[in-house]
Amino acid sequence: MSSTTLQALKIQQKPGAPTMYSTVVDAAETLEWADVPRKKDDFMAGYQRDLNERYDDIKDYLTTADQNIIPGAVLIGVDEDAVSIDEDGDVVTLTIEHNQHESDELIQAQYEAFYERLSDEEQRFVDGEISNDPADHENGSLPASHLAELTKELKQASEDWDSLSDDRQEAVSDYVEGLAVPGNIIDGQHRLWGAKEVTKFDVDFPAVIIPGLTDPEEVFQFYVLNSTASPLSRDQLHAVISTSLSNGELEVLFKRFKQTGVHAREAKLSYRLHRRDDSPFQHMVDFGLPNSQGIIKESISFNLVKSFVKPNTSYKRLYDGVDDWEQDPDYDYRLKVFLTFWNAVTDEYSDAWNTAREPDATDVERQITQKIALDTLQEFLLDRLKLLSTPVMGGRSADTMFADLDAVDEGVRMVLADLPEEFFTREWTESSLNTHQGREFFREQMEKASNDRQIGSMKLFKQTK
């Protein structure tokens, strides 16, 4: 058994808040008892991003000049059972015990820790009493969070390790390695790892130690810190919300997230597209994590689905008076409509869509998954559906289009019958399509293509001489 002793000052920022301890830590020594729960595409359970080249930059910065310092404090949560606290006046002594654990012990311990965090429904899923197929549930939502799915896999790993594929064994092992120590680095991992690489001298950092934080509280603090003061991408922040909290924890933290400007239920939308079996976007979203196989950036998929489930008022004719749509705080019904809409699109354009999904597809073959294509096609279709739902046009009554999933499916297919799939498979030779003028031009070309204009004669496809 090893231990680390730190002298610290006790800080009680306000009544009822977690107690913090301000101290100084040696970077290299700290990494012996603290690590980060890293998130990767093949095991998205942690809330931290993987290390990148930033820690090399920090090493270079610290060794370039004596005056170069990094005054910001690192933030570390510590397991309450692993730390003893001896108070003597204003000075507090923290003793942090850190032991070595076998991999199978870590897997079992993490399974139990995750299981305790789940809601009753999610625990039933882990125990095999209910499925996670949206089709088996009335509201069409996933009853179990991603955390519950990983808990089920950890249970399988604990009970029958050999039943996991080699890739899954590697993913699980890689994840639990970061759990072998009692400290979780909530903020400052790149600083610590960069300073550890300095060999000429030891590097100390101011640090704030917070014992006893729950896992969801660590996630919350990490998210709030990085949503305002760090170059962590929004894609990665959305991945944190989507994959690091159980459904119950998300509900508990919902109001606090909202107070910080974070709409947690919205943040899960792109993840739901990525995971649902009935989604044409399944496994296609790139959350900016290591080993990601996604081909559509999370920010693109998020904006696409958000603009559909929270449309501007010009589309009110499509959903006005639809109770299922208007009384849908979790976006369950709205997401059903969105998936019905895009399933019709990808079925009508199945050749283009399936080719784009191939791992070795070219940029031209993936034109249909580009932001300009997805956004413009959705807007084009919604505008046409709005006309179809206008009584004077001989279409369905205004209050039934989004009330009837069959009507949505039928309407989308009717519009696409006039827009040839070749529009998305023939190479676009115009550049700068993602500018304001480019988007207007692309929409104009789409309108022309749907009005029997010969594709080959259109400017979008003609080489400029």
Side-chain angles (χ1 to χ4, degrees), residues 146-211:
H146 181 67
L147 195 69
E149 292 181 334
L150 294 181
T151 305
K152 190 169 187 175
E153 185 171 32
L154 287 173
K155 181 180 182 180
Q156 179 185 353
S158 177
E159 296 175 350
D160 188 3
W161 177 252
D162 291 336
S163 67
L164 269 64
S165 67
D166 291 344
D167 288 344
R168 297 313 297 165
Q169 287 182 358
E170 182 179 354
V172 171
S173 296
D174 186 47
Y175 174 72
V176 298
E177 281 180 8
L179 307 173
V181 290
N184 281 337
I185 303 168
I186 300 172
D187 189 53
Q189 66 153 330
H190 287 86
R191 278 169 276 167
L192 290 171
W193 281 99
K196 180 179 182 291
E197 297 300 312
V198 176
T199 57
K200 295 180 181 180
F201 47 83
D202 294 335
V203 180
D204 292 337
F205 282 106
V208 174
I209 310 293
I210 310 180

Side-chain angles (χ1 to χ4, degrees), residues 54-66:
R54 284 181 59 218
Y55 83 94
D56 282 331
D57 295 339
I58 289 172
K59 171 193 171 184
D60 294 342
Y61 172 78
L62 290 170
T63 55
T64 298
D66 292 342

Side-chain angles (χ1 to χ4, degrees), residues 364 367 419-431 433 441-442 444-450 453-465:
V364 173
Q367 286 180 155
L419 181 61
E421 187 172 20
E422 186 185 0
F423 184 85
F424 299 98
T425 57
R426 182 181 283 235
E427 183 176 3
W428 304 331
T429 57
E430 288 291 318
S431 59
L433 289 175
F441 167 75
F442 191 79
E444 172 195 313
Q445 294 288 287
M446 187 176 289
E447 295 280 358
K448 288 181 177 179
S450 68
R453 179 70 177 267
Q454 292 295 320
I455 292 288
S457 64
M458 294 176 59
K459 187 177 179 181
L460 178 64
F461 308 103
K462 290 176 64 177
Q463 294 284 350
T464 302
K465 297 181 180 181

Side-chain angles (χ1 to χ4, degrees), residues 36-54:
V36 296
R38 294 195 182 94
K39 179 180 297 299
K40 295 187 177 182
D41 193 68
D42 53 7
F43 204 91
M44 297 196 295
Y47 53 80
Q48 281 273 23
R49 64 199 130 168
D50 213 29
L51 285 170
N52 57 33
E53 65 277 1
R54 284 181 59 218

Side-chain angles (χ1 to χ4, degrees), residues 17 21 34 44 55 67 70 73 85 111 113 188 202 208 245 247 298 322-323 328 342 379 382 418 440 443:
Y21 297 91
M44 297 196 295
Y55 83 94
Q67 292 80 13
I70 303 175
I85 302 170
Y111 158 67
D202 294 335
V208 174
L245 297 170
N247 291 340
E298 191 276 344
V322 180
D323 290 342
D328 188 32
W342 276 100
E379 181 184 82
L382 288 173
D418 295 327
E440 288 187 341
R443 173 62 187 264

Side-chain angles (χ1 to χ4, degrees), residues 4-25:
T4 297
T5 301
L6 301 169
Q7 302 298 309
L9 293 176
K10 181 178 179 180
I11 301 173
Q12 191 70 41
Q13 193 169 76
K14 61 180 183 179
T19 302
M20 300 181 288
Y21 297 91
S22 179
T23 186
V24 177
V25 297

